[in-house]
Amino acid sequence: MADEAFQIHLQQLKQKSPGFLETIYALGNGHIGVRASNPLQGNSPAYSGKPGLFVNGFYDLSPIHYGEPYYGYAHNNQTICELPDPRYLIFEVDGVRSDKTPYNVETIDKTWDMASGLLDETFQITTPTGKTFTLTLDSFVSQAERHLYVVRYDIRALNFSGGIKIFKRHDYVNQQIPRATADIRRAQRSNTLMQTYLPATAPIMELSTQKSQLGLLVALRFLGDDPRVTLTTQNDVPCYQINLDLTPERSAQFTFGYAIGDVHDLLAFKLHQQSNVEATVALLKEQTFEEAFAASAARTQQFWQDSDIVIEGDSSLQKGIRFNLYHLFQAAGRDHLTAIPAKGLTGTGYEGHYFWDTEMYMLPFFIYTQPEIAKALLGYRYTTLPAAGRRAREMAISAGVLFPWRTINGEEASAYYPAGTAQIHINADIAYATDLYLRATGDTDFLKSAGFELILNTARFWLAYGNYATYGPQRGHFVLNRVTGPDEYTAMVDNNYYTNRMAKNNLALAVKYADKMAKIAPEKLTDLAVTQDERAAFAEAADKMYLPYDAKHKIKLQDDNAPNRPQFDIAHEPATNFPLLLHYHPLVLYRYQLNKQADTLMSALLFPLDQDEAQLKRDYDYYEKITTHDSSLSRAVFSILANRIHQPQKAADYFMDSSLTDLTDLQGNSEDGIHAANMGGSWLSLVYGFAGMHYGKSGLTFAPHLPTSWQRLKFKIKYRGRQIAVDLQQAAITFTLLHGKPLTVYCQQEPCELTLKNPSKQVSLTDSTN
Ligand code: IFM
């Protein structure tokens, strides 16, 4: 029985533009993503949507052309490829083809059942000769077999009986959509791919990129056996032709499966072509919609078992949260070679790049609910460690690695270094996330095989980048100059608080894990040439890291020079000027105290024991006034911290704005793809914010604050081989150990010992915490 609380209905959405709907209903599984296009439009210039299929890690390069190409600037754009729309169909009725003369297509209904992953859509189509029929699509991207996409079409005549021809072409080149845009958040270019058809039992094409030299197989097959369906070619393009005789009484159904292979280096790919083709084609053999869907739905169900969040008291919010969680699941790479693009696999925004968004906003959700996926995401960073080493050398850093600010292949792709490469906090973000994963899972194998190297090499970077100051208030301290923090309206500053605090942590982690490795795998320390002197240097730099502070006003400073900049008058800026980045030259913005997103406050979120409540409140009030939230990464942080300073209404308001960012098209650009980091932020808001989960002095600690209008917040987390259910209500919070060894969690200073014999503990909540 379908559960309405897991369904996204077209009728409930206020925005209904084609591009927006394509994003909202996009399907994916971390390897592939399919936008929910109008299936008759293809690349028609008259259509405002952007149909397409994306494969994680399948991108092409193009040289970045600089007027003044300084040494060390990023060399290449990396742009995710938009592949043919696998939903596309061409109709021919009364001799009129829909690709030559547009048919009228009306979207009647869309229902996405996130409980199973099935997308069910109905379109009403009228031919230029006045014949009307409905086209229903049932489609899913398999969560069980990552290469598989299946779509079932159902056609019913409404006002006629007669013949209709349908063509399903297996084509790329003829569907390419050129783009140009002035919005830097959108993809600035599209790729030209090469397509070759290979001899095989099903139409199978090899797509290869020109510059990145990657290859990918895409096979299409009619699933079933139907004399009305024949495989032919049209202008040398393989094409299924379906001849139907329709009547209003009886609908016709046909199903196609796509097998989308792994992304390969072209040379290796050519060498193993035969076996790749066989494996890809085999995927579609004897496949049925029902069986493939059952396997996929079972994995989806398992996802919800571990990752669902229940909110009682607000049904649209409940649905919105599930929408966010499921999109996160759909977006995350699982092969250790890919991560999560800022827009998931739902659009070309930010060209399909991975940012710190993965580690700082989305990874916690996976760490605590799907740790295998979290491990694979960190595995991607480990895979790209050599590229990060090369980048550090290019940046004249003698040791360690520098991860790119934005990338697909591990190389820097940001052409604007003040808000790109200068965000060197990315190194410390990766180290922080690695530590979080290790603390939450206790996965020492990962520590030995990858985690320690990530932490060590990022820490080595800081020692080589920074220096001990000899002048001014920083004298004797370890300083990091000319950096950009998370806030992209402030750039190239000295001692950005967030960066320094994160680097301090990174250095301390190197010491902590070197000590641990000395016990569990001392040979690794020798292999990696870690000496006692280096360990001491890490410890000293961590200890002496400079953290700018205004002692007079008792405020943490965003950077050394922040108080000398005037505050931007946000309140009097016309609403139409937001986001400011589309209306002001960066240098204008950089002259002010002006935050696009949480920066210094982000460090307060990540290091809750650094400050008492009074300090946090002062910092919060100060930074809230100068923040525009022009980045969708901002509000979640403000929501979480509002809870910590006991401002529940503010916490709820920020949360409500950010949690439905895409469903309500809050930023006006969801058509370019989802805001994946913000979706991760909504999980953080619920678990770190309203449930107040954090690492306290004694261990895993909760400080709950349920919004007054909610009755309940329920979720599960995995922690070191255990699973715990958390059930927060207005008067009490209950922790239940579902499996695993005994564990003590803390709430209001009270230890709650959970064992399988006595699995549940309830703590009643006093007014002061709620
Ligand atoms: O990584 C973010 C950044 O923090 C703000 N601008 C958008 C990027 C991609 O989401």
Side-chain angles (χ1 to χ4, degrees):
M1 181 64 188
D3 182 345
E4 152 65 28
F6 283 85
Q7 295 186 335
I8 304 292
H9 297 287
L10 181 68
Q11 290 72 14
Q12 290 163 350
L13 300 174
K14 290 205 182 92
Q15 233 277 53
K16 292 197 175 61
S17 72
F20 172 77
L21 294 181
E22 285 178 2
T23 297
I24 295 303
Y25 289 103
L27 301 178
N29 64 6
H31 176 51
I32 54 180
V34 181
R35 279 171 72 82
S37 62
N38 168 339
L40 261 71
Q41 299 299 329
N43 64 349
S44 157
Y47 176 50
S48 68
K50 302 169 187 173
L53 160 74
F54 301 99
V55 179
N56 207 352
F58 194 58
Y59 70 95
D60 205 2
L61 299 168
S62 58
I64 305 178
H65 297 293
Y66 297 98
E68 297 167 69
Y70 281 94
Y71 180 84
Y73 274 19
H75 306 287
N76 288 307
N77 299 300
Q78 301 166 28
T79 307
I80 193 165
C81 300
E82 254 174 311
L83 303 185
D85 179 5
R87 300 154 48 97
Y88 183 48
L89 290 179
I90 297 167
F91 286 85
E92 185 182 318
V93 182
D94 299 330
V96 184
R97 275 176 64 125
S98 59
D99 58 337
K100 303 276 184 295
T101 311
Y103 286 20
N104 185 50
V105 181
E106 202 185 326
T107 306
I108 302 294
D109 196 17
K110 283 179 191 271
T111 296
W112 187 21
D113 179 30
M114 299 179 293
S116 66
L118 187 70
L119 175 60
D120 181 354
E121 301 155 278
T122 301
F123 302 88
Q124 182 165 309
I125 297 167
T126 307
T127 72
T129 52
K131 295 196 168 143
T132 303
F133 57 94
T134 56
L135 173 68
T136 300
L137 270 70
D138 282 331
S139 61
F140 66 94
V141 164
S142 175
Q143 302 301 342
E145 167 44 80
R146 68 195 202 102
H147 304 101
L148 193 63
Y149 171 67
V150 183
V151 52
R152 181 167 64 198
Y153 302 93
D154 182 291
I155 301 181
R156 181 185 287 275
L158 292 183
N159 64 354
F160 70 101
S161 295
I164 180 168
K165 281 186 199 154
I166 301 163
F167 305 102
K168 187 148 182 77
R169 291 162 59 102
H170 196 36
D171 200 2
Y172 169 71
V173 170
N174 297 310
Q175 283 192 42
Q176 202 166 10
I177 305 163
R179 317 208 167 290
T181 170
D183 185 338
I184 55 162
R185 297 166 300 177
R186 294 194 159 147
Q188 300 293 306
R189 64 214 106 245
S190 49
N191 297 310
T192 307
L193 299 184
M194 286 160 296
Q195 123 187 336
T196 316
Y197 293 99
L198 303 175
T201 47
I204 181 160
M205 71 174 149
E206 174 194 287
L207 285 172
S208 53
T209 55
Q210 295 193 332
K211 297 262 170 27
S212 60
Q213 291 284 291
L214 299 174
L216 173 76
L217 292 180
V218 183
L220 165 69
R221 193 184 186 111
F222 173 70
L223 303 186
D225 190 10
D226 188 329
R228 297 173 300 176
V229 183
T230 49
L231 180 58
T232 74
T233 55
Q234 277 183 354
N235 305 332
D236 297 331
V237 172
C239 174
Y240 282 100
Q241 179 169 339
I242 305 157
N243 294 333
L244 300 176
D245 258 322
L246 293 185
T247 64
E249 288 74 41
R250 202 157 30 91
S251 68
Q253 264 192 3
F254 47 95
T255 303
F256 286 94
Y258 278 86
I260 296 133
D262 290 322
V263 178
H264 292 278
D265 184 63
L266 199 54
L267 192 63
F269 183 63
K270 295 267 184 209
L271 288 173
H272 301 107
Q273 197 179 64
Q274 189 51 34
S275 56
N276 284 336
V277 168
E278 281 162 17
T280 310
V281 171
L283 263 178
L284 297 175
K285 255 201 185 142
E286 326 232 319
Q287 193 70 262
T288 66
F289 184 98
E290 287 73 18
E291 276 171 26
F293 177 63
S296 174
R299 173 65 185 100
T300 300
Q301 220 172 6
Q302 199 188 328
F303 164 79
W304 288 117
Q305 277 290 324
D306 293 328
S307 304
D308 190 22
I309 292 195
V310 174
I311 295 173
E312 285 178 15
D314 187 330
S315 59
S316 62
L317 182 63
Q318 167 70 84
K319 202 175 271 203
I321 289 304
R322 287 187 171 135
F323 174 80
N324 291 354
L325 301 181
Y326 199 60
H327 262 298
L328 287 173
F329 181 54
Q330 294 201 123
R334 287 150 215 195
D335 55 4
H336 296 248
L337 303 171
T338 53
I340 311 181
K343 302 283 176 185
L345 293 166
T346 67
T348 51
Y350 291 118
E351 311 211 9
H353 292 168
Y354 316 131
F355 294 75
W356 73 316
D357 306 28
T358 302
E359 283 78 16
M360 300 316 289
Y361 283 82
M362 299 182 257
L363 208 75
F365 164 66
F366 291 106
I367 287 175
Y368 289 113
T369 73
Q370 306 279 332
E372 277 308 309
I373 297 181
K375 184 182 185 158
L377 292 168
L378 288 170
Y380 160 76
R381 292 297 189 181
Y382 184 69
T383 307
T384 57
L385 202 57
R390 289 193 293 277
R391 180 63 173 158
R393 300 300 90 75
E394 193 174 24
M395 296 299 289
I397 299 297
S398 54
V401 300
L402 175 58
F403 279 99
W405 174 242
R406 52 189 292 176
T407 188
I408 297 176
N409 67 4
E411 287 165 9
E412 181 61 85
S414 172
Y416 182 61
Y417 80 85
T421 303
Q423 294 206 43
I424 56 177
H425 64 82
I426 180 74
N427 258 21
D429 301 334
I430 292 168
Y432 185 98
T434 305
D435 176 50
L436 189 68
Y437 171 79
L438 293 169
R439 285 169 81 171
T441 60
D443 184 350
T444 22
D445 287 345
F446 183 76
L447 173 67
K448 288 193 263 182
S449 65
F452 181 61
E453 279 177 71
L454 284 171
I455 289 169
L456 173 71
N457 284 298
T458 45
R460 282 178 166 164
F461 168 86
W462 298 115
L463 272 194
Y465 185 92
N467 61 280
Y468 285 95
T470 54
Y471 178 75
Q474 297 84 359
R475 188 184 178 138
H477 289 281
F478 196 76
V479 294
L480 301 168
N481 293 328
R482 305 287 101 183
V483 307
T484 298
D487 161 36
E488 293 174 339
Y489 287 169
T490 310
M492 303 306 300
V493 296
D494 292 343
N495 295 311
N496 166 256
Y497 192 102
Y498 174 85
T499 307
N500 286 24
R501 182 62 187 90
M502 290 292 282
K504 178 182 170 81
N505 180 60
N506 194 165
L507 290 157
L509 289 175
V511 176
K512 168 177 147 183
Y513 285 110
D515 291 350
K516 178 148 190 175
M517 293 294 279
K519 291 189 195 119
I520 61 170
E523 68 290 351
K524 266 268 174 190
L525 293 181
T526 317
D527 293 350
L528 296 167
V530 184
T531 62
Q532 279 302 345
D533 282 356
E534 188 180 40
R535 289 159 71 174
F538 287 151
E540 188 180 5
D543 187 43
K544 299 208 169 131
M545 183 67 71
Y546 185 68
L547 297 173
Y549 190 74
D550 175 347
K552 187 165 164 215
H553 301 99
K554 297 190 176 159
I555 302 287
K556 289 182 188 171
L557 289 179
Q558 188 166 340
D559 59 78
D560 284 356
N561 204 33
N564 287 327
R565 296 189 292 270
Q567 294 193 358
F568 190 94
D569 190 359
I570 297 175
H572 290 100
E573 191 66 13
T576 47
N577 273 358
F578 294 92
L580 298 175
L581 66 104
L582 297 184
H583 300 272
Y584 288 99
H585 188 285
L587 267 184
V588 177
L589 304 176
Y590 297 167
R591 292 200 332 258
Y592 292 93
Q593 287 188 60
L594 170 69
N595 282 192
K596 181 182 180 193
Q597 63 204 95
D599 188 295
T600 310
L601 287 181
M602 182 84 183
S603 67
L605 163 70
L606 300 173
F607 301 103
L609 302 180
D610 272 13
Q611 56 277 304
D612 59 18
E613 198 179 313
Q615 176 68 52
L616 179 59
K617 171 120 183 39
R618 283 193 300 276
D619 292 335
Y620 191 98
D621 291 345
Y622 187 82
Y623 287 104
E624 190 183 31
K625 283 196 201 82
I626 59 169
T627 304
T628 62
H629 309 290
D630 280 352
S631 163
S632 69
L633 280 68
S634 193
R635 288 184 176 84
V637 180
F638 279 81
S639 170
I640 297 166
L641 294 177
N643 276 314
R644 290 204 196 145
I645 54 172
H646 299 283
Q647 296 200 9
Q649 193 51 48
K650 194 167 263 201
D653 291 347
Y654 274 120
F655 175 71
M656 287 309 289
D657 280 351
S658 65
S659 58
L660 303 179
T661 290
D662 284 306
L663 276 178
T664 59
D665 202 10
L666 179 74
Q667 309 263 343
N669 61 355
S670 291
E671 64 176 338
D672 298 327
I674 55 163
H675 295 77
N678 173 66
M679 292 176 160
S682 68
W683 185 90
L684 293 174
S685 301
L686 290 166
V687 176
Y688 287 14
F690 298 120
M693 187 176 95
H694 63 281
Y695 287 104
K697 286 192 185 109
S698 320
L700 201 58
T701 303
F702 293 80
H705 313 80
L706 193 66
T708 44
S709 59
W710 302 359
Q711 282 94 57
R712 199 167 202 176
L713 168 65
K714 283 205 303 181
F715 59 90
K716 290 178 193 158
I717 58 157
K718 290 188 171 168
Y719 181 73
R720 295 185 162 252
R722 308 160 177 97
Q723 191 171 36
I724 306 157
V726 180
D727 183 353
L728 172 58
Q729 300 185 47
Q730 291 296 343
I733 184 165
T734 309
F735 304 99
T736 306
L737 182 67
L738 300 174
H739 62 76
K741 292 191 185 143
L743 173 74
T744 302
V745 298
Y746 297 82
C747 185
Q748 307 200 99
Q749 278 90 47
E750 211 180 290
C752 304
E753 284 174 40
L754 312 174
T755 65
L756 285 180
K757 236 175 163 191
N758 286 306
S760 291
K761 282 274 150 43
Q762 193 174 75
V763 179
S764 75
L765 300 173
T766 62
D767 286 347
S768 67
T769 60
N770 215 353

